[in-house]
Amino acid sequence: MATVDTTTAHSTNGRGAGAEIAVENPATGEVIAHLPDMPAARIAELAIAGRAAQPAWEALGFEGRGAVLADFRGWLMDNADRVVSTIVSETGKTYEDANLIELVYTGGALRFWVKHAERFLAEETVRVRTLVVAGKKLVTRYEPLGLVGIIGPWNYPLVNSFGDAIPALMAGNCVILKPSEITPLTSLLIADGLAECGLPAGVLQVATGRGATGGALVDEVDMIMFTGSTATGKKVMARAAETLTPVSLELGGKDPLIVLADADLERAANAAVYYSMLNGGQTCVSVERVYVEAPVYDDFLARIMDKVCTIRQGASTGPATAEVGAMTTGAQLEIVERHVADAVSKGARVLTGGHRGAGTGRFYEPTVLVDVDHTMAAMTEETFGPTLPIMRVADAEEALRLANDSPYGLAASIYTGDRERGNRLARRLQAGAVCVNDALMNYMAVELPMGGWKASGMGSRHGAGGIRKYAKQQSLMISRLHLKREPFMFPYRASTSKALFGGLRLLFGRRRKRG
Ligand code: NDP
């Protein structure tokens, strides 16, 4: 079992007299910590502390803030074993899932934002292109919002919580992080590490608690970055509307993978298996459904079965001890069971898996479903488990139609031997992030914006927009002093009006020659 220093956790947050949450190891069923379930009054206190700390944090500038976060990157790698064991203990994921997607992503994100934050938020002189403001200086600039609230899910307690705090902090904000009640220990450990690296008190605080704690946070901050389900995202947006607090929402998905007849089937099959089962399928950008062109369907399926049948599942006790870990929550395990049962009741066949795993932990066997269609929840609702439903399609057009037949639009991928065709088809997929001959790893590209279409979200993380959303934008128009008035101001003179507006009409009315 992972060792979790809950004494530190308590000292970071202050144990209130109120209710507690119990944190469980999903791979063993053991309770590993008790933490405060913070009430609204406690969140208000954190907000006061955060607002008090913000001006000095902002005053440190990009270099000063970057120095603390760069130091923290070193801390993270020095303490990698402790961080990984904490993540594994509260999620039940494998050692490799915790290393690659959580630790490596976060190391890369720290490096990226420390290096590029200043460039993205640099003041810019904008070239004048509008006639009536000719001769003026136009400038855009950014200022931190102040206090940012980050609400994270349980599936990636480092990436989808602290990962989103990095650009917010680099932009000069203070942050209150509300991790899922199921996985709060990673955030508390990170807060301790940041304090060791000299992050001033109040700059990043962790609000432990349930959904109500998240709701209270929405009331207190200047912006909410939310990652979680579409249902909760709607609640967060509705509550934020009360105070006109801006929100950025990264929500659920039902990501399709398309395999065309000319694809490298070995590469496509490896990707379908890995990116559907990675993290037990509990990844927002998991491959949730596969469409395969009929001529290669049997070959593709044979390769899938060869690979899935060798997967080892269990509690991860170190490097390469299991490929697929536990289901982090009991509720999620029930959703997976429901989707498989629904598919089978409507005619799907389970080629492998289809049951809870043996033992005390929460496991669901890696499962391959065929003869599936869009009457089944497994093909239309987010399953978020180690399931791989595969559907035979006549051609690329049918695959595209089915891929787009979804309320979600998070990510999608397409495998083909013709990169140009893949590129063309990718643009017809209704998803915010699309890969050709790849999947999921585009999440690691911090330079590339990532955000969902349709019910998968609003706004995006990463890229320039991934830090500008944590800033207030101000535009400046600075005029020269030598003119006492503009030509169109009071008092109007007929001669000036005629000359000015006549000239402008002529200019705007000039048509381009066609053909
Ligand atoms: P939830 O929506 O259940 O919870 C997300 C967070 O919101 C948790 O911290 C939760 O607290 C909190 N919360 C719950 N109710 C409220 C409320 N009324 N007001 C404010 N906060 C609240 O999501 P899950 O934790 O179950 O995460 C899985 C979901 O996240 C999946 O749909 C997945 O696709 C999505 N996700 C999306 C990503 C993306 O980038 N698009 C990335 C990762 C996950 P508590 O847990 O304590 O109840």
Side-chain angles (χ1 to χ4, degrees):
M1 191 193 98
T3 51
V4 177
D5 182 358
T6 51
T7 324
T8 325
H10 293 156
S11 69
T12 306
N13 284 277
R15 184 195 276 266
E20 288 192 334
I21 50 177
V23 184
E24 210 180 281
N25 182 330
T28 63
E30 191 188 350
V31 172
I32 52 176
H34 287 95
L35 294 167
D37 181 8
M38 292 188 182
R42 180 75 186 116
I43 302 305
E45 288 169 8
L46 297 188
I48 290 169
R51 290 192 189 284
Q54 193 274 330
W57 176 244
E58 181 183 351
L60 278 182
F62 289 101
E63 206 177 318
R65 296 193 293 271
V68 176
L69 291 181
D71 199 25
F72 175 71
R73 183 159 46 84
W75 182 95
L76 195 62
M77 297 307 138
D78 289 348
N79 289 273
D81 288 342
R82 199 169 146 212
V83 174
V84 165
S85 70
T86 301
I87 295 171
V88 170
S89 72
E90 64 180 350
T91 58
K93 67 175 72 183
T94 65
Y95 174 90
E96 281 74 15
D97 288 342
N99 269 279
L100 175 67
I101 308 293
E102 301 264 34
L103 205 67
V104 172
Y105 168 89
T106 307
L110 281 161
R111 184 190 284 265
F112 178 83
W113 292 117
V114 167
K115 195 165 174 199
H116 299 290
E118 185 166 10
R119 179 166 61 84
F120 290 136
L121 296 177
E123 181 168 317
E124 229 180 285
T125 299
V126 177
R127 194 168 152 197
V128 175
R129 294 171 192 278
T130 313
L131 278 175
V132 284
V133 296
K136 298 172 196 293
K137 183 176 181 185
L138 306 181
V139 172
T140 54
R141 57 181 294 274
Y142 298 94
E143 275 190 18
L145 289 167
L147 185 62
V148 170
I150 295 178
I151 301 178
W154 47 259
N155 61 332
Y156 285 99
L158 183 56
V159 167
N160 290 140
S161 293
F162 177 66
D164 286 314
I166 303 167
L169 292 170
M170 277 308 296
N173 299 286
C174 284
V175 167
I176 300 178
L177 194 56
K178 192 297 200 192
S180 166
E181 72 189 89
I182 294 152
T183 54
L185 301 175
T186 305
S187 294
L188 291 166
L189 180 58
I190 293 307
D192 286 347
L194 284 162
E196 270 182 45
C197 296
L199 189 82
V203 173
L204 182 133
Q205 303 174 91
V206 180
T208 55
R210 301 194 167 86
T213 307
L217 183 60
V218 176
D219 297 341
E220 294 291 344
V221 293
D222 301 312
M223 187 262 185
I224 279 284
M225 167 67 214
F226 174 84
T227 307
S229 64
T230 300
T232 311
K234 287 179 185 174
K235 287 186 200 164
V236 166
M237 191 169 170
R239 187 142 178 178
E242 297 292 318
T243 47
L244 280 183
T245 301
V247 292
S248 185
L249 305 173
E250 300 288 340
L251 309 176
K254 187 71 190 171
D255 296 354
L257 182 148
I258 295 173
V259 183
L260 299 185
D262 64 352
D264 177 335
L265 291 188
E266 190 58 18
R267 181 174 176 83
N270 275 322
V273 171
Y274 182 59
Y275 295 125
S276 63
M277 305 287 167
L278 171 82
N279 207 42
Q282 301 159 109
T283 303
C284 53
V285 283
S286 272
V287 170
E288 285 255 335
R289 51 195 171 120
V290 178
Y291 302 98
V292 188
E293 273 193 304
V296 294
Y297 177 84
D298 291 336
D299 189 352
F300 179 77
L301 205 57
R303 291 170 196 260
I304 291 284
M305 291 307 291
D306 282 350
K307 295 173 201 309
V308 174
C309 289
T310 64
I311 290 175
R312 294 166 302 156
Q313 184 172 43
S316 181
T317 51
T321 48
E323 271 98 25
V324 174
M327 296 299 301
T328 302
T329 79
Q332 200 58 51
L333 182 53
E334 281 165 20
I335 292 172
V336 178
E337 279 186 317
R338 179 165 59 76
H339 283 194
V340 173
D342 169 73
V344 170
S345 75
K346 290 170 180 162
R349 280 183 299 134
V350 176
L351 294 191
T352 181
H355 304 101
R356 285 186 185 221
T360 48
R362 277 191 290 267
F363 292 97
Y364 195 87
E365 296 169 347
T367 297
V368 176
L369 288 168
V370 292
D371 299 343
V372 288
D373 61 39
H374 279 217
T375 64
M376 301 168 187
M379 292 298 280
T380 56
E381 294 174 25
E382 188 176 46
T383 305
F384 225 52
T387 55
L388 187 54
I390 304 175
M391 184 169 175
R392 186 198 306 257
V393 291
D395 52 25
E397 287 306 316
E398 187 183 13
L400 281 177
R401 183 179 60 74
L402 290 167
N404 290 337
D405 176 28
S406 172
Y408 294 110
L410 192 54
S413 43
I414 184 158
Y415 282 75
T416 167
D418 180 344
R419 270 166 50 121
E420 268 322 298
R421 186 173 175 225
N423 191 344
R424 280 196 308 276
L425 295 175
R427 289 152 201 263
R428 293 173 56 199
L429 282 163
Q430 294 167 7
V434 182
C435 291
V436 178
N437 293 324
D438 225 314
L440 199 145
M441 291 308 284
N442 51 344
Y443 193 100
M444 306 288 267
V446 189
E447 55 274 54
L448 193 64
M450 169 153 268
W453 290 4
K454 303 196 273 188
S456 290
M458 178 181 280
S460 62
R461 54 164 66 93
H462 302 164
I467 189 162
R468 288 185 183 153
K469 72 184 180 190
Y470 294 125
K472 289 180 279 205
Q473 184 179 301
Q474 186 176 54
S475 61
L476 300 172
M477 185 167 85
I478 302 163
S479 292
R480 300 206 174 90
L481 281 172
H482 65 276
L483 285 178
K484 300 287 176 228
R485 59 188 288 280
E486 302 293 340
F488 44 78
M489 284 180 170
F490 301 150
Y492 296 142
R493 289 192 189 91
S495 56
T496 327
S497 277
K498 277 187 197 162
L500 182 70
F501 298 121
L504 287 173
R505 281 183 202 180
L506 270 178
L507 216 63
F508 290 142
R510 205 183 287 159
R511 290 170 193 241
R512 278 195 189 171
K513 280 190 188 143
R514 292 195 187 182

